[in-house]
Amino acid sequence: MQVSYLIRMLKLSIIIPVYNVEAYLSECLDSVFNQFVDGCEVIAVNDGSTDNSRYILAEYQTKYPQFIVIDQENRGLSGARNTGIDYSSGEYLYFLDSDDYLLPNAVKNIIYSIKTFDVDVIGFNAMANGEKIYIPSFNVSDNPKTGIEFFIDFYNNNGSYPSVNVPIYVYKKDFLNIHHLKFKEGAYHEDILFSLLVFYFAQSVIAFNIEIFNYRQQREGSICTNIKLKNLTDRSNICRDLDVFFKSKIFSKKYFYALIFQQYLYNLELAVSNNFASVQNLFFSTTDKNIMKKGVNNVFEYKLWLLASINIKLMVRYLKNDLPGFQRKMINIIGTILYK
């Protein structure tokens, strides 16, 4: 009885998926346990690592008996996060990637926010590569808002959309359970789908311009730097999933589709820079073109969409201002006429 009472009192579960990150894992774990406070649990999900990651986890279990390590066959980042959700006992959940690390006072700031605001989602900021602010423009009000209101107001206040990077946020576990929100397994870029569904369902979101972790961007060997065709097809599939969901809810907020537009645009740029343009039908079909068009907000974006529908290499050259003057002028004239 006493144990179950303690479990109910846990405020925060820090969930750390682990897969072949021996070079970064100790720094990640030290950043957590060096500031570990009562009312938290730390769960590492070893997702079938084949390097020394499991040995490192065992060492930390010896030093910190309260450290929970779960072993499973490899299911990918989403599968590891979902396992962490299932095993967690905290009122709120925080997902820390094992190649990143918490900044000093992060846990203290998270716990304080949890105790002060009874909301579905709490957002923060981050450092990128230990040298710059991850979200350089960050203006929000101090009052909780619905996820949809937060999403729209964030854009109006900052000129950019809220980050879809999951470790930026802390999530109330009951909120995730009520709406059956988990991570799509087997897919890259699952944060996009998860985050937009979170914003759609959340009834209360608040955010603070406080950096809580360091995001190691462009790490060698990560799925975001080693671009494969799967990166492109999975990002398109996630955009399709979102479109299907929004249509089922009769929801067509331009702001949400504008972010989807940006995801397609980024996908097409990656396709050209990584020599996948020749197979664009695999990741940019007629369905994708139609979904992308829903996010067009101005004549410039319409021109990009129009060019993407014709030739994605031409679109990227136009975007980079790498076309002959007369050709760019003709595109501008035709695009403006068609947009009207």
Side-chain angles (χ1 to χ4, degrees), residues 219-231:
R219 173 176 69 82
E220 184 179 351
S222 74
I223 63 170
C224 293
T225 56
N226 184 24
I227 303 300
K228 304 174 183 176
L229 182 59
K230 180 175 172 59
N231 292 82

Side-chain angles (χ1 to χ4, degrees), residues 55 200 206 209-210 238 282:
Y55 175 77
Y200 175 83
I206 196 165
N209 194 1
I210 299 172
I238 281 172
L282 299 179

